[in-house]
């Protein structure tokens, strides 16, 4: 990194253990169905599975052929079918149909469904209703966490966001709780837990119950603190365009399960190359958290260094040459390969991002964040829609506008919505309904009195007690809060000041110095104050539901200034972006601590909004 | 000789008096069915049935080992052949008809079961109740001279054993063996011996059985099922291993009178086999040597075999007969020089403040046997029943320990604790005369269970606390039992009980209130059960019981509170089947979480139900959305429009005019698209308005595009963009120019420049530069690559940032003059 790093940053726990645990359990489950078998895998489990157990391992445990679950009739000659799936009703229904059609055909097979990370009663109900409950055996593969990198853990549950925040289906809450419990049982208990958001609270409750049921083990903890945060606490950050290298790569090429496929335009050959993006890749590791504008310079410097290293060959005698080939050449070659890939990627991104459109997009975003020249922004958005530039980007700008401006004026809302529908079709009526439900894109309510809203919101709020109704009010109030929050937490630096992106001075650098991610700022503040004292007003504006609990190990233990005390686990419920991870890394380096990010999935603006589309493709 | 040694006169057998019996029996144990449970368990008594007056009801009485009454009730069922105790201290009564009745220790009826048709038809002749690692078993010899056996009465699997060849009447004696993880029966018919297992009847011969015997009249198996003793009619006792492979000894008792009972008296790991044979008024201990030890009995007695000895219960006394423990023998043997004995002496001298203490100690230390001495004293203390003797020995041990630097304290401390507990439970009022060996075998958990069965809750809790048993295994468990018992007390009101329970259990860890509530519900106290459930912290635990009690609304809200979606599903699915549709929907309506879950389910499984749900709620907005969604799943246009029409209706009902109008527009658009598709053969249906217009323009159907523009009130800006793009796409520059002049462009002229450049037509682009507004001039000039023009415009506008932009596009070498000019202009602007 360009900026100086504190030397005493604590080391990280070894998360590869989690992979080993998952692999062992999977093997155990596969062995439960002895003999040759065909394995059907849910499409979105393919990549995570590959990180746990590759094809060779699966073959060793008598998996004959591998298929992707496509919800179509199958061609398999095996007498034993094993399904490795997420607990989704659709998939289970498909399996039931499969079993029933085999029955009709008089074909006898053994079926085993392995649900991961857990079974749901609803799935078993489907098996029962379809009359195949007795024909299949079911199991659970408790594969809760996939370590994507040394400090990024993912639950790989992109549907968490939609299910929990839009559909009001809380079934993944226990999963998140179990994931925390797993971490705790492997790496020791935490001294303090903070959180904000309804879901965070429920996850904590579920985790606490697991703690109470299980045995209490006293061991040296490897983390100090845990911070749980709901995605809906901060929608602004994931809606912004990412400009830090890793985030940008994700926005443009879509990083999937920690690896990315670079197309021919990047590789400058005719085939695509799949690259793992993690700290093993030394080139990538140095640029991942850098603002994009610095990356090119860095890479060219790197290329020069590489050349120098190659040039050392000249004037070597045979012996030295031998040593060079044996020790360095391979490393240099590897570095060379990666370097050329990242240069290719940067070029390709540069081409896309230096275009007029992107510059204007960024300008609009920044204006929205600052609350500046809103009229012009609306005009720009309108043009954006009219020219059909990008379905998702238009939606993103609309949402940003709505959140930062506390909803759109009725006139603007209607006209923008109408234009959007003209551009992209009427099915987006449903998309708008969803966005409205989440509070992402709303019409300012002029005439409605508070009591009407109260009864409306009261329905949305699910808890029994009257106390929850106050939450409803604050959620009502929440909408107007971005400006106030931004002011109170100083999220938007004063405009006009030069911001040197090569020497970042705060987390705002991840958005070109225009905005400090709300989520990260919140974490910083809570860590600094060791709780919510002094942040009451902020918490209220964020719809309350904040908590801080002293955890399992005693305070005297916690006082021990071990490395572990400076490791903070941050769990994002509903996904987090690479920009947020970069911002937290920056914060960690500033404060001499380390942040480990646990997320239900890596997200970005496109994924977030795509999850809320309701057209034929996504249902 | 010290006072302790008096009991050790008989070579290696010690007779310890446990209790003087607290009961007051008129005829002693005569004519009684008696059963005493091992491990110092309770004693059951039933007066033999009087055949002459069958209507007279005998009294069944249960006593503790010290003879204190625990229960007593008149026997109302059939003729009892045998009494026995299960491993969990339940009383088993075997009736003549093969029915088994189970009572708890306090006389409460638990259940009954039958040993099968065959048994009930041919009646029970004899019964043996036995204990094995698999639980309590029952073996029955029926009137048909066949054996029926169940190894575990809690999991009845009846086995009928094969026939014994040549059996005419009842066998002279038989016993149950547990070998090779199987229960077998050993039967003697005269001098013949058979082993019956599941499949076969095998004749066996005990090795070295003296030939004088013509019949085996008695047999007994040791507590561990390892050894067997046979008594022949010639008065010989044969002792050997129960697999009949090895003989240990044979002793002639010289008594030929009919025996009453025989039992093994042996401690685990002891080398000496010894059995106890009882005749009327006489008890004989036979061992390895020819010598026997005789005791006279004044009273009718029974023998209760134990792990490490035999208990003898008579009408007045309760004694324990056991082999002298090694440690005790070493210490208390007359003139013993064992280290333990010396240590005890040393301590005694020390108490007397005599210097002899030092001499003794020195003697032990010289042989470096001090730790051995301490160990012996501690072990001996464990075997002693008298607290005074225990204390003496432990004091001696503690004294010895002072002179050892590295002696581990666990053994000593553990023994002190154990003894304290043992003395407490041996107390007359409790009456569980456990030996230390038995206690260790039985484990503390079981002991606590036994105390709980006797409802000695305070003592049980004391024991748990004293032994520091982990809370959820100890105190909490006892409290749970207490609470389960408490909730069955009918005379107290719900409030009182609930309060009492909550107060007592408040701070105990790991209490499951739902279990207690289940108990309350089972004893018919639903209201109390609900009250108790309120205390259950884990709402998940409350749900199943609430469902069972048909408190479904409460169950549903508890499930939701638990945050466990699976649980909510369970309840929802249960309710779905339980209630009629209307009630079900009404209930969901009040529970948004459950409703949204159910909707999720319906989305995949029951689309129609989803519609019904929205209908019921009059949620027209959602219904509208539902129809819109349904519409694009349809392939046929008519159906599609049909759905949209429904959506329009719903939106109007929801007063959402915007959506209604938009949907109507969509219907119009669809019709328009189809018409055009039919006329022009262009693929259009399903496109958005924008896409439709793009397509129309690209194939030159300007009129139709124009029509859409008017009909759908497309904003001018969009239309201009569309036209512009379409024309540039076709590179119809002439038409584009005409279009640009048709009227004033609502999007300005910069887009014209940019679009032309995008299609690499600089020439055309230049045409529009002049039309661009002043603000965009610089941009336009730069777009066509006219740096000079840009500079001109920038300078004219005196805009610093624009000058900067232009400067950045100038190269220092070629545009030398220009750069100078710009710099100058910049300076002027800056000055102002």
């Amino acid at each position: 990194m360009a900026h100086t790093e504190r030397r005493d940053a604590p080391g990280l726990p070894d998360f590869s253990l989690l992979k080993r645990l998952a692999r062992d359990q999977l093997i155990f489950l596969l062995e439960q169905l002895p003999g040759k078998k065909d394995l059907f895998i849910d499409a979105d489990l393919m990549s995570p599975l590959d990180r746990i157990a590759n094809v060779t391992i699966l073959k060793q445990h008598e998996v004959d052929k591998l298929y992707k679950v496509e919800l179509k009739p199958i061609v398999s000659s095996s007498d034993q079918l094993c399904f490795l799936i997420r607990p989704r009703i659709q998939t289970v229904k498909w399996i039931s149909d499969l079993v029933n059609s085999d029955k009709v055909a008089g074909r006898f097979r053994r079926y085993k469904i392995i649900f991961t990370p857990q079974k749901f009663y609803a799935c078993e109900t489907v098996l029962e209703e379809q009359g195949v409950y007795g024909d299949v055996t079911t199991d659970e593969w408790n594969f809760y966490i996939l370590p994507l990198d040394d400090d990024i853990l993912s639950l790989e549950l992109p549907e968490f966001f939609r299910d929990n925040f839009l559909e009001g289906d809380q079934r993944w809450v226990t999963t998140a709780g179990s994931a925390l419990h797993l971490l705790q049982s492997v790496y020791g208990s935490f001294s303090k837990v903070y959180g904000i958001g309804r879901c965070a609270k429920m996850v904590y409750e579920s985790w606490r119950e697991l703690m109470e049921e299980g045995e209490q083990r006293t061991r040296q903890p490897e983390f100090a603190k845990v911070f749980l945060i709901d995605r809906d606490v901060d929608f602004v950050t994931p809606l912004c365009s990412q400009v830090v290298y890793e985030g940008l790569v994700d926005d443009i090429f879509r990083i999937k399960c920690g690896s990315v496929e670079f197309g021919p335009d990047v590789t400058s050959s005719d085939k695509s190359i799949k690259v793992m993006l993690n700290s093993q890749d030394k080139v990538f590791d140095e640029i991942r958290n850098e603002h994009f504008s610095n990356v090119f310079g860095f890479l060219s410097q790197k290329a020069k260094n590489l050349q120098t290293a190659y040039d050392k060959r000249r004037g070597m005698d045979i012996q030295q040459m031998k040593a060079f080939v044996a020790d360095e050449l391979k490393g240099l070659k590897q570095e060379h390969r990666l370097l050329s890939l990242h240069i290719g990627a940067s070029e390709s991104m540069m081409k896309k991002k230096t275009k007029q459109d992107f510059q204007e997009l960024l300008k609009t975003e920044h204006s929205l964040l600052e609350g500046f020249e809103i009229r012009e922004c609306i005009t720009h958005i309108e043009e954006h829609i009219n020219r059909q530039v990008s379905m998702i980007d238009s939606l993103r700008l609309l949402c940003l506008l709505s959140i930062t401006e506390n909803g759109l004026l009725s006139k603007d809302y209607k006209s923008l919505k109408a234009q959007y529908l003209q551009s992209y079709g009427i099915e987006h009526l449903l998309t708008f309904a969803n966005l409205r439900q989440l509070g992402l894109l709303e019409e300012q309510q002029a005439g409605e009195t508070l009591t009407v809203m109260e009864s409306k919101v009261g329905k949305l709020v699910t808890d029994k007690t009257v106390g929850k109704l106050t939450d409803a009010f604050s959620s009502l109030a929440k909408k107007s809060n971005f400006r106030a929050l931004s002011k109170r937490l100083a999220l938007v630096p004063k405009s006009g000041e030069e911001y040197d992106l090569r020497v970042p001075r705060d987390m705002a650098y991840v958005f070109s110095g225009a905005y400090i991610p709300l989520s990260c700022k919140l974490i910083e503040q809570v860590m600094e104050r060791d709780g919510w004292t002094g942040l009451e007003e902020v918490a209220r504006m964020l719809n309350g539901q904040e908590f801080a609990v002293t955890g399992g190990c005693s305070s005297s233990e916690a006082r021990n200034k071990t490395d572990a005390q400076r490791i903070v686990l941050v769990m994002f419920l509903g996904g987090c972006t690479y920009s947020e991870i970069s911002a937290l890394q920056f914060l960690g380096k500033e404060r001499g601590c380390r942040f480990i990010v646990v997320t239900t999935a890596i997200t970005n603006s496109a994924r977030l909004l795509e999850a809320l589309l309701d057209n034929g493709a996504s249902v | 000789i010290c006072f302790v040694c008096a009991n050790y006169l008989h070579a290696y057998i010690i007779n310890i008096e446990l209790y003087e019996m607290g009961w007051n029996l008129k005829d002693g144990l005569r004519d009684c069915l008696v059963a005493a449970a091992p491990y110092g368990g309770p004693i059951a008594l039933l007066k033999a049935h009087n055949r002459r007056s069958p209507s007279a009801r005998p009294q069944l009485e249960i006593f503790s080992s010290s003879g204190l009454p625990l229960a007593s009730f008149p026997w109302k069922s059939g003729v009892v052949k045998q009494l026995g105790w299960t491993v969990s201290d339940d009383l088993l009564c075997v009736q003549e008809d093969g029915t088994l009745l189970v009572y708890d220790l306090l006389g409460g009826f638990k259940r009954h079961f039958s040993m099968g048709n065959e048994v009930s038809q041919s009646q029970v002749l004899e019964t043996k109740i036995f204990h094995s690692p698999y639980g309590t078993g029952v073996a029955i010899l029926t009137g048909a001279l066949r054996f029926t056996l169940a190894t575990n009465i809690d999991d009845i699997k009846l086995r009928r054993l094969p026939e014994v060849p040549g059996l005419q009447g009842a066998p002279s004696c038989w016993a149950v063996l547990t070998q090779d993880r199987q229960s077998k029966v050993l039967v003697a018919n005269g001098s013949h011996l058979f082993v019956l297992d599941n499949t076969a009847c095998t004749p066996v011969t005990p090795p070295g059985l003296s030939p004088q015997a013509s019949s085996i009249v008695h047999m007994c198996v040791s507590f561990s099922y390892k050894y067997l003793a046979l008594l022949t009619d010639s008065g010989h006792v044969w002792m050997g291993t129960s697999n009949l492979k090895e003989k240990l000894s044979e002793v002639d008792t010289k008594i030929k009178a009919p025996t009453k009972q025989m039992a093994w008296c042996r401690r685990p790991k002891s080398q000496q086999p010894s059995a106890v044979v009882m005749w009327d008024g006489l008890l004989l201990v036979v061992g390895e040597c020819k010598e026997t030890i005789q005791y006279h009995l004044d009273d009718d007695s029974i023998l209760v075999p134990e792990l490490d000895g035999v208990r003898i219960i008579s009408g007045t006394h309760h004694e324990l007969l056991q082999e002298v423990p090694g440690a005790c023998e070493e210490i208390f043997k007359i003139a013993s020089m064992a280290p333990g004995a010396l240590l005890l002496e040393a301590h005694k001298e020390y108490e007397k403040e005599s210097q002899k203490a030092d001499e003794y100690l020195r003697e032990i230390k010289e042989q470096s046997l001090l730790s051995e001495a301490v160990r012996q004293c501690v072990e001996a203390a464990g075997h002693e029943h008298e607290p005074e003797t225990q204390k003496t020995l432990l004091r001696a041990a503690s004294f010895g320990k002072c002179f050892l630097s590295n002696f581990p304290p666990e053994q000593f401390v553990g023994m002190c604790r154990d003894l304290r507990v043992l003395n407490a439970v041996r107390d007359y009022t409790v009456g569980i005369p456990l030996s230390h060996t038995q206690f260790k075998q039985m484990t503390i958990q079981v002991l606590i269970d036994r105390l709980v069965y006797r409802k000695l809750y305070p003592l049980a809790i004391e024991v748990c606390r004293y032994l520091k048993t982990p809370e959820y295994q100890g105190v909490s468990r006892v409290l749970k039992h207490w609470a389960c018992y408490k909730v069955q007390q009918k005379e107290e009101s719900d409030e009182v009980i609930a309060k009492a329970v909550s107060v007592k259990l408040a701070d105990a860890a790991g209490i499951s209130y739902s279990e207690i509530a289940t108990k309350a519900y089972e004893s018919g106290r639903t209201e109390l059960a609900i009250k108790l459930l309120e205390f259950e912290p884990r709402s998940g635990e409350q749900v199943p019981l609430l469902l069972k009690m048909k408190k479904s609304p409460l169950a549903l809200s508890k499930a939701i509170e638990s945050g466990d979606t699976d649980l909510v599903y369970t309840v929802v699915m249960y309710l779905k089947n339980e209630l009629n549709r209307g009630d079900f929907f009404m209930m969901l309506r009040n529970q948004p979480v459950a409703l949204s879950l159910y909707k999720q389910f319906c989305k995949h499984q029951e689309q129609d139900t989803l519609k019904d749900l929205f209908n019921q709620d009059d949620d027209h907005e959602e219904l509208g959305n539902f129809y819109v969604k349904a519409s694009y799943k349809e392939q046929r246009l008519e159906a599609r429009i049909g759905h949209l029409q429904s959506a329009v209706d719903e939106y109007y009902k929801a007063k959402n005019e915007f959506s209604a109008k938009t949907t109507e527009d969509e219907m119009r658009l669809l019709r328009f698209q189809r018409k055009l598709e039919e006329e022009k053969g262009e693929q259009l249906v399903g496109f958005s308005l924008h896409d439709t217009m793009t397509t129309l323009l690209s194939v030159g159907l300007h009129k139709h595009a124009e029509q859409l523009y008017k009909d759908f009130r497309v904003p001018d800006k969009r239309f201009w963009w569309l036209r512009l793009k379409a024309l540039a796409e076709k590179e119809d520059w002439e038409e584009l120019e005409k279009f640009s002049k048709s009227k004033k462009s609502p999007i300005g002229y910069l887009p014209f420049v940019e679009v032309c450049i995008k299609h690499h037509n600089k020439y055309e682009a230049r045409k529009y530069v002049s039309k661009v507004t002043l603000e965009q001039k610089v941009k336009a000039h730069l777009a066509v690559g006219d740096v000079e023009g840009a500079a001109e415009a920038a300078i004219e506008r005196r805009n610093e940032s624009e000058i900067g932009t232009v400067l950045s596009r100038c190269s220092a070498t070629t545009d030398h003059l220009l750069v100078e000019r710009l710099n100058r202009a910049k300076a002027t602007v800056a000055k102002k």
Side-chain angles (χ1 to χ4, degrees), chain B residues 515-585:
Chain B
E515 249 177 86
I516 301 166
T518 310
K519 207 72 180 182
Y521 173 65
E522 278 167 8
S523 45
R525 305 186 70 160
T526 313
E527 284 311 307
L528 176 59
I530 293 172
K531 280 203 172 64
L532 288 169
L533 275 182
E534 284 299 314
F535 298 118
E536 175 66 61
R538 291 161 299 174
S539 21
E541 296 283 309
Q542 307 169 332
V543 174
L545 181 62
L546 285 172
L547 280 184
K548 208 154 85 183
M549 298 194 297
K550 305 238 177 289
K551 302 279 169 195
S552 17
L554 199 54
L556 187 58
S557 52
K558 289 287 176 195
I560 289 164
E561 226 175 280
S562 80
D564 181 347
T565 315
D566 251 9
L567 205 60
V568 182
Y569 260 128
T570 318
V571 180
V572 168
M573 288 304 150
Y574 175 87
L575 293 178
K576 187 184 159 201
N577 298 330
E578 202 72 355
L579 302 176
N580 67 45
R581 215 173 159 87
D583 292 347
F584 176 54
F585 282 3

Side-chain angles (χ1 to χ4, degrees), chain B residues 104 106 108-110 452 455 457 479-494 496-498 500-501 515-526 528-529 532:
Chain B
D104 70 24
L106 300 174
F109 176 74
K110 281 179 109 168
V452 165
K455 310 222 182 303
Y457 303 112
L479 282 173
K480 193 196 83 192
H481 279 287
W482 167 79
C484 286
Y485 168 64
K486 185 85 182 167
V487 297
Q488 294 172 52
Q489 285 173 348
K490 301 254 188 275
E491 60 277 8
E492 287 186 59
S493 77
D494 292 346
V496 173
I497 294 181
V501 168
E515 249 177 86
I516 301 166
T518 310
K519 207 72 180 182
Y521 173 65
E522 278 167 8
S523 45
R525 305 186 70 160
T526 313
L528 176 59
L532 288 169

Side-chain angles (χ1 to χ4, degrees), chain B residues 434-453:
Chain B
L434 275 181
S435 72
H436 189 254
T437 320
Q438 289 165 19
F439 172 61
K440 281 294 166 201
Q441 174 75 20
M442 146 192 239
T443 72
I444 181 68
Q445 266 74 32
V446 178
L447 177 62
I448 289 166
D449 278 344
R450 303 241 153 145
L451 292 175
V452 165
Y453 296 148

Side-chain angles (χ1 to χ4, degrees), chain A residues 27-203:
Chain A
I27 290 171
F28 173 77
L29 289 173
L30 288 175
E31 294 284 317
Q32 301 285 298
L33 190 68
K36 285 231 177 271
K37 58 216 154 227
D38 282 358
L39 186 63
F40 290 78
I41 307 168
D42 247 347
D44 50 352
L45 274 174
M46 292 278 226
S47 312
L49 178 68
D50 197 46
R51 304 283 296 265
I52 296 296
N54 55 28
V55 179
T56 331
I57 293 180
L58 294 178
K59 296 262 173 190
Q60 273 167 13
H61 297 279
E62 297 184 279
V63 170
D64 196 20
K65 291 196 188 90
L66 280 164
Y67 297 95
K68 201 200 280 183
V69 168
E70 280 171 325
L71 309 184
K72 283 184 214 145
I74 58 155
V75 255
S76 162
S77 56
S78 179
D79 284 336
Q80 302 204 92
L81 306 182
C82 190
F83 302 88
L84 184 60
I85 58 167
R86 291 272 183 224
R88 293 187 191 115
I89 291 177
Q90 268 169 303
T91 326
V92 178
K93 179 100 193 313
W94 169 72
I95 295 172
S96 309
D97 293 346
L98 212 84
V99 176
N100 278 327
S101 69
D102 274 355
K103 270 191 199 167
V104 171
R107 172 149 200 184
F108 177 78
R109 295 203 242 225
R110 291 177 66 186
Y111 313 90
K112 181 186 185 71
I113 305 179
I114 302 175
F115 291 107
T116 187
Q118 65 196 108
K119 305 186 207 194
F120 285 132
Y121 183 77
C123 294
E124 292 192 326
T125 311
V126 173
L127 290 177
E128 241 176 84
E129 283 187 351
Q130 303 293 321
V132 295
Y133 189 73
D135 301 297
V136 297
T137 49
T138 57
D139 251 314
E140 280 183 351
W141 179 33
N142 303 121
F143 168 46
Y144 290 114
I145 300 175
L146 175 72
L148 289 179
D149 205 341
D150 295 346
D151 52 2
I152 307 174
L153 310 176
S154 170
L155 270 63
E156 290 296 308
L157 283 174
E159 64 242 67
F160 189 103
F161 175 66
R162 187 182 165 111
D163 280 352
N164 196 74
F165 295 105
L166 183 67
E167 313 271 4
D169 178 346
Q170 299 157 350
R171 58 182 162 165
W172 299 114
V173 166
T174 41
T175 314
S178 306
L180 283 172
H181 188 242
L182 172 68
L183 284 174
Q184 184 189 16
S185 52
V186 179
Y187 300 102
S189 49
F190 309 98
S191 55
K192 199 127 190 207
V193 183
Y194 314 91
I196 183 159
R198 219 178 107 73
C199 181
K201 213 167 194 174
M202 291 179 71
V203 167

Side-chain angles (χ1 to χ4, degrees), chain B residues 389-679:
Chain B
T389 322
Q390 293 165 2
K391 279 185 197 160
T392 315
L393 287 163
L394 286 174
R395 279 200 197 103
S398 151
F399 174 67
K401 244 157 53 79
C402 300
F403 302 94
L404 287 166
S405 50
N406 281 328
F407 193 78
E410 290 81 11
Q411 194 200 8
F412 180 79
V413 175
M415 185 57 81
C416 290
R417 285 216 183 106
D418 289 353
L419 281 177
R420 180 140 186 231
V421 171
L422 280 179
N423 290 337
V425 300
R426 281 170 193 164
D427 186 88
Y428 188 76
T429 52
V430 180
I432 305 179
L434 275 181
S435 72
H436 189 254
T437 320
Q438 289 165 19
F439 172 61
K440 281 294 166 201
Q441 174 75 20
M442 146 192 239
T443 72
I444 181 68
Q445 266 74 32
V446 178
L447 177 62
I448 289 166
D449 278 344
R450 303 241 153 145
L451 292 175
V452 165
Y453 296 148
R454 285 164 174 76
K455 310 222 182 303
L456 298 167
Y457 303 112
L459 178 61
I461 287 178
E462 281 303 310
V463 169
C464 293
R465 294 215 171 115
Y466 181 67
L467 293 181
K468 298 197 172 72
T469 323
E471 199 160 325
Y472 57 97
Q473 277 174 24
V475 176
S476 298
R477 199 159 54 110
V478 177
L479 282 173
K480 193 196 83 192
H481 279 287
W482 167 79
C484 286
Y485 168 64
K486 185 85 182 167
V487 297
Q488 294 172 52
Q489 285 173 348
K490 301 254 188 275
E491 60 277 8
E492 287 186 59
S493 77
D494 292 346
E495 283 75 21
V496 173
I497 294 181
K499 186 136 191 282
V501 168
S502 75
V503 166
K504 270 255 160 54
L505 272 55
D507 50 352
I511 291 270
S512 162
Y513 279 94
S514 57
E515 249 177 86
I516 301 166
T518 310
K519 207 72 180 182
Y521 173 65
E522 278 167 8
S523 45
R525 305 186 70 160
T526 313
E527 284 311 307
L528 176 59
I530 293 172
K531 280 203 172 64
L532 288 169
L533 275 182
E534 284 299 314
F535 298 118
E536 175 66 61
R538 291 161 299 174
S539 21
E541 296 283 309
Q542 307 169 332
V543 174
L545 181 62
L546 285 172
L547 280 184
K548 208 154 85 183
M549 298 194 297
K550 305 238 177 289
K551 302 279 169 195
S552 17
L554 199 54
L556 187 58
S557 52
K558 289 287 176 195
I560 289 164
E561 226 175 280
S562 80
D564 181 347
T565 315
D566 251 9
L567 205 60
V568 182
Y569 260 128
T570 318
V571 180
V572 168
M573 288 304 150
Y574 175 87
L575 293 178
K576 187 184 159 201
N577 298 330
E578 202 72 355
L579 302 176
N580 67 45
R581 215 173 159 87
D583 292 347
F584 176 54
F585 282 3
M586 276 316 281
M587 192 175 283
L588 286 183
R589 205 171 162 177
N590 299 323
Q591 297 288 2
V593 172
L595 184 60
S596 65
L597 276 180
Y598 186 61
K599 277 183 190 161
Q600 277 278 75
F601 180 78
C602 290
K603 231 180 235 174
H604 297 293
Q605 289 291 80
E606 295 169 22
Q607 286 280 337
D608 289 343
T609 315
L610 197 62
K611 201 163 78 186
D612 293 350
L613 274 170
F614 293 141
N615 256 325
Q616 189 209 337
D617 283 356
D618 292 328
D619 192 341
H620 300 293
E621 180 83 38
E622 277 295 340
L623 271 170
N625 291 344
F626 175 83
Y627 284 120
V628 170
K629 197 181 267 186
S631 83
Y632 56 73
K633 283 196 182 133
E634 280 293 345
Q635 293 300 316
R636 287 181 314 113
L637 193 71
E638 285 315 314
R640 218 166 173 179
I641 290 176
H643 278 308
L644 288 174
Q645 184 58 52
S646 313
V648 170
D649 296 346
E650 295 299 338
Y651 283 136
Y652 273 124
K653 278 186 208 156
K655 301 214 169 57
N656 186 343
E657 283 195 26
F658 178 84
S659 294
K661 284 259 155 54
T662 320
T663 316
E664 278 172 339
D665 281 353
E666 172 72 8
M667 287 160 66
R668 263 197 304 145
L669 180 63
L670 280 171
R671 292 206 181 95
F672 176 86
Q673 286 169 339
R674 189 179 51 173
K675 200 171 137 240
L676 223 58
E677 237 181 61
E678 280 164 4
E679 284 171 13

Side-chain angles (χ1 to χ4, degrees), chain A residues 454-481:
Chain A
E454 179 186 339
S455 70
K456 247 191 183 170
V457 183
K459 257 191 211 168
L460 288 174
V461 175
T462 45
D463 272 6
K464 38 150 205 178
T465 41
V466 192
K468 305 292 176 197
L469 215 70
T470 36
D471 298 342
F473 279 113
S474 37
S475 92
L476 177 72
K478 173 188 161 190
K479 291 152 205 158
S480 62
N481 288 337

Side-chain angles (χ1 to χ4, degrees), chain B residues 310-356:
Chain B
V310 176
R311 281 188 292 135
I312 306 161
I313 302 171
S314 75
T316 53
H317 285 83
H318 190 160
E319 293 166 325
L320 173 65
L321 201 64
Q322 74 181 161
E323 194 180 298
V324 178
C328 298
E329 193 188 348
E330 292 268 311
I331 291 177
F332 295 117
K333 205 162 60 181
I334 298 164
S336 167
M337 292 298 278
L342 291 176
L343 181 59
L344 189 62
E345 262 334 286
H347 181 244
K348 263 185 207 153
E349 295 301 333
Y350 169 76
E351 299 246 285
K352 284 190 256 167
E353 300 181 6
S354 149
Q355 83 282 13
K356 273 193 191 160

